[in-house]
Amino acid sequence: MKSKKVLVLGVGAQGSAAAKRLDAEPNVEQIICADRDKSAVDNLVRTLSKAVGTTVDAHNKDSIVAAAEGADLILNGLPLECTKNVLDAALEVKANYQDYAATTALDEDWVESIRLQYDVYGPRFAEIGRLALVGTGSAPGLICAATRDAMRYLDTCDTIYNIVWEGVEAKRFLPFWWSPVTALHDMSEKSYAFVDGKLIRLEAFEHPIKRRYEGMDEEITFVEHCHDEPIHYSFNAERFFKGAKNAYFKYAGAGVDFARPLYRAGLISHEKEVVDGVEIAPFDLVLKHIPPAPKYREEIKEIIDEGLVSDSGCMVVEAYGKKDGKDVLVETHVNSPGLVESFELAGITAEMYLTGQGGFLFSKLFLNDKFDQTGLISSDMLTMDQVDTYFEYARELKITLDTKIKEL
């Protein structure tokens, strides 16, 4: 097994967390850390032993190609608008590709953009004998692998819920622990849901469900949220999800509580309007006032030392179907460290721990030659052997699954 060279594009909260884990992998020969922000690159590289740094303009494909020459894997942690350039660069240098979420850059319609990833880029990567793996953070990513795992307990599946509660809240104003532009963009859109075998749009923040799982101090209300998972599951329902006809993503937490009244007031609309003679999109104004996600050890420690409102959360898969002729619920909980424990273990936030390191676990499958697929797949398309290996790796990071089978 030869050592690998990995290009990490984008050294924000997730890219930096993944780079730190890659640095400890014996099969990694070199990590190229690349971003337009030179100081962020330099700050990361000085903490790593196998890394070199470079600046990249990701809006220029040739700039990416120059940084990626000789790379075995390109890990794309950039905004979704850059995805097409990174995919094209990976094809040009004949590298494997990995990202955290499905791009909106290939078509104005997000579903069509995802379809083009499968239908256009899949054959192109297959032609060069390489794999592009998309949607590999925590959600999508880790939760998709957990949903695949739940399928082993069913003969047929009817309905899938992916349920996430971001229950970590700081005393300071910090509504999002990851990219504010991505988070707020998701909050500004109607959701996608797979209903009766069809992909439809539902109003954001509506269609609530209430859950109080074991260990929760209170009942939590989860609402519709625009996310990748139902779209991918709709494409892959027959082959990977036992014929599921329904799939939903339900969300709760401080970010939802912050964004919901803004959405209802039209304050995260992308439509420009004239205010006192100035043309502006409300979304841009709100975004300007949201602090960036913390990523440096010192600032994370400062937030913890100030005190937290809460350090909770959950990630749950509910899969409803039949087993041996009986109606059953497969309820799978993803267990992982909270903010304080994540900082104690790795000097990072809980979001970085779960998303950056959840993504790293997919990278580790690449590093250890666990993929025999070529083309383009999403994280919900792993084989069961790959799912098993993924969670074997995850246990080393205290990320585990707890599955309950309940007859209905």
Side-chain angles (χ1 to χ4, degrees), residues 117 161 176 287 307:
Q117 282 188 297
Y161 285 97
F176 305 116
L287 180 63

Side-chain angles (χ1 to χ4, degrees), residues 2-237:
K2 78 181 188 73
S3 295
K4 309 293 196 303
K5 182 177 179 179
V6 182
L7 169 63
V8 177
L9 273 175
V11 296
Q14 312 315 337
S16 59
K20 290 174 182 176
R21 280 295 171 191
L22 289 166
D23 197 54
E25 283 298 301
N27 291 337
V28 172
E29 176 186 338
Q30 185 182 60
I31 308 161
I32 306 162
C33 299
D35 199 292
R36 66 180 179 181
D37 184 344
K38 185 177 185 303
S39 63
V41 170
D42 291 343
N43 285 335
L44 176 59
V45 167
R46 71 169 57 102
T47 68
L48 307 176
S49 62
K50 299 178 182 178
V52 296
T54 187
T55 54
V56 164
D57 175 9
H59 293 93
N60 182 328
K61 184 200 74 173
D62 292 339
S63 179
I64 301 171
V65 168
E69 287 292 347
D72 298 283
L73 172 64
I74 297 176
L75 177 57
N76 177 13
L78 295 169
L80 300 181
E81 67 196 49
C82 301
T83 301
K84 183 180 187 303
N85 283 342
V86 187
L87 284 165
D88 290 340
L91 287 166
E92 188 164 328
V93 301
K94 293 181 170 56
N96 293 301
Y97 169 90
Q98 180 188 348
D99 67 26
Y100 291 115
T103 187
T104 54
L106 303 181
D107 192 274
E108 289 183 1
D109 180 83
W110 192 29
V111 177
E112 185 61 22
S113 187
I114 293 173
R115 188 189 307 278
L116 289 171
Q117 282 188 297
Y118 287 126
D119 294 349
V120 174
Y121 280 92
R124 293 176 68 187
F125 274 94
E127 284 176 10
I128 63 170
R130 296 291 183 269
L131 177 65
L133 178 62
V134 301
T136 67
S138 57
L142 171 59
I143 200 169
C144 299
T147 305
R148 281 285 290 131
D149 186 83
M151 294 301 106
R152 71 175 78 237
Y153 303 104
L154 293 173
D155 296 326
T156 60
C157 182
D158 180 77
T159 300
I160 296 167
Y161 285 97
N162 281 179
I163 300 171
V164 175
W165 172 36
E166 296 277 0
V168 178
E169 186 176 355
K171 285 188 175 179
R172 69 171 63 177
F173 176 63
L174 190 63
F176 305 116
W177 293 88
W178 67 104
S179 167
V181 64
T182 301
L184 200 65
H185 180 82
D186 289 349
M187 297 286 180
S188 73
E189 299 283 338
K190 289 183 177 181
S191 78
Y192 288 90
F194 188 46
V195 181
D196 294 330
K198 295 180 180 179
L199 202 59
I200 65 171
R201 305 298 298 269
L202 294 177
E203 192 64 43
F205 304 103
E206 300 299 334
H207 304 280
I209 62 171
K210 296 180 183 293
R211 296 291 188 272
R212 185 174 183 176
Y213 297 114
E214 184 178 338
M216 280 185 172
D217 294 331
E218 59 183 323
E219 185 178 67
I220 301 296
T221 299
F222 297 87
V223 296
E224 280 295 306
H225 178 69
C226 186
H227 235 244
D228 310 47
E229 292 84 349
I231 302 176
H232 288 302
Y233 300 165
S234 74
F235 283 113
N236 298 318

Side-chain angles (χ1 to χ4, degrees), residues 97-397:
Y97 169 90
Q98 180 188 348
D99 67 26
Y100 291 115
T103 187
T104 54
L106 303 181
D107 192 274
E108 289 183 1
D109 180 83
W110 192 29
V111 177
E112 185 61 22
S113 187
I114 293 173
R115 188 189 307 278
L116 289 171
Q117 282 188 297
Y118 287 126
D119 294 349
V120 174
Y121 280 92
R124 293 176 68 187
F125 274 94
E127 284 176 10
I128 63 170
R130 296 291 183 269
L131 177 65
L133 178 62
V134 301
T136 67
S138 57
L142 171 59
I143 200 169
C144 299
T147 305
R148 281 285 290 131
D149 186 83
M151 294 301 106
R152 71 175 78 237
Y153 303 104
L154 293 173
D155 296 326
T156 60
C157 182
D158 180 77
T159 300
I160 296 167
Y161 285 97
N162 281 179
I163 300 171
V164 175
W165 172 36
E166 296 277 0
V168 178
E169 186 176 355
K171 285 188 175 179
R172 69 171 63 177
F173 176 63
L174 190 63
F176 305 116
W177 293 88
W178 67 104
S179 167
V181 64
T182 301
L184 200 65
H185 180 82
D186 289 349
M187 297 286 180
S188 73
E189 299 283 338
K190 289 183 177 181
S191 78
Y192 288 90
F194 188 46
V195 181
D196 294 330
K198 295 180 180 179
L199 202 59
I200 65 171
R201 305 298 298 269
L202 294 177
E203 192 64 43
F205 304 103
E206 300 299 334
H207 304 280
I209 62 171
K210 296 180 183 293
R211 296 291 188 272
R212 185 174 183 176
Y213 297 114
E214 184 178 338
M216 280 185 172
D217 294 331
E218 59 183 323
E219 185 178 67
I220 301 296
T221 299
F222 297 87
V223 296
E224 280 295 306
H225 178 69
C226 186
H227 235 244
D228 310 47
E229 292 84 349
I231 302 176
H232 288 302
Y233 300 165
S234 74
F235 283 113
N236 298 318
E238 289 301 323
R239 185 177 173 192
F240 291 98
F241 295 101
K242 302 289 180 75
K245 296 296 187 291
N246 307 281
Y248 304 87
F249 186 91
K250 299 291 186 177
Y251 202 26
V256 171
D257 296 340
F258 167 75
R260 183 174 186 173
L262 298 177
Y263 179 84
R264 296 180 70 184
L267 291 174
I268 48 177
S269 168
H270 297 271
E271 296 295 324
K272 291 187 176 181
E273 54 188 82
V274 177
V275 181
D276 294 334
V278 178
E279 186 179 58
I280 188 168
F283 179 96
D284 295 334
L285 179 61
V286 171
L287 180 63
K288 193 76 174 177
H289 290 269
I290 299 177
K295 62 180 179 180
Y296 298 118
R297 174 182 284 270
E298 295 75 15
E299 62 180 328
I300 299 168
K301 184 177 187 302
E302 187 176 273
I303 290 168
I304 293 172
D305 288 345
E306 289 172 0
L308 301 174
V309 175
S310 63
D311 189 7
S312 301
C314 74
M315 176 182 284
V316 181
V317 175
E318 291 183 359
Y320 296 83
K322 288 188 178 293
K323 180 67 177 178
D324 298 329
K326 297 177 181 178
D327 292 328
V328 298
L329 161 62
V330 181
E331 183 180 297
T332 299
H333 292 252
V334 178
N335 306 306
S336 65
L339 173 58
V340 172
E341 187 179 2
S342 294
F343 184 76
E344 291 172 350
L345 289 170
I348 58 180
T349 67
E351 171 61 29
M352 294 168 72
Y353 198 99
L354 204 56
T355 301
Q357 296 194 140
F360 154 75
L361 296 170
F362 289 98
S363 302
K364 189 165 181 172
L365 292 173
F366 274 113
L367 298 176
N368 291 332
D369 298 330
K370 297 300 183 182
F371 288 111
D372 54 13
Q373 301 99 316
T374 60
L376 184 144
I377 65 173
S378 44
S379 56
D380 57 307
M381 297 169 67
L382 300 185
T383 68
M384 280 303 183
D385 284 345
Q386 289 164 346
V387 169
D388 289 342
T389 303
Y390 180 91
F391 285 108
E392 178 185 321
Y393 295 159
R395 282 193 293 274
E396 299 171 7
L397 300 179

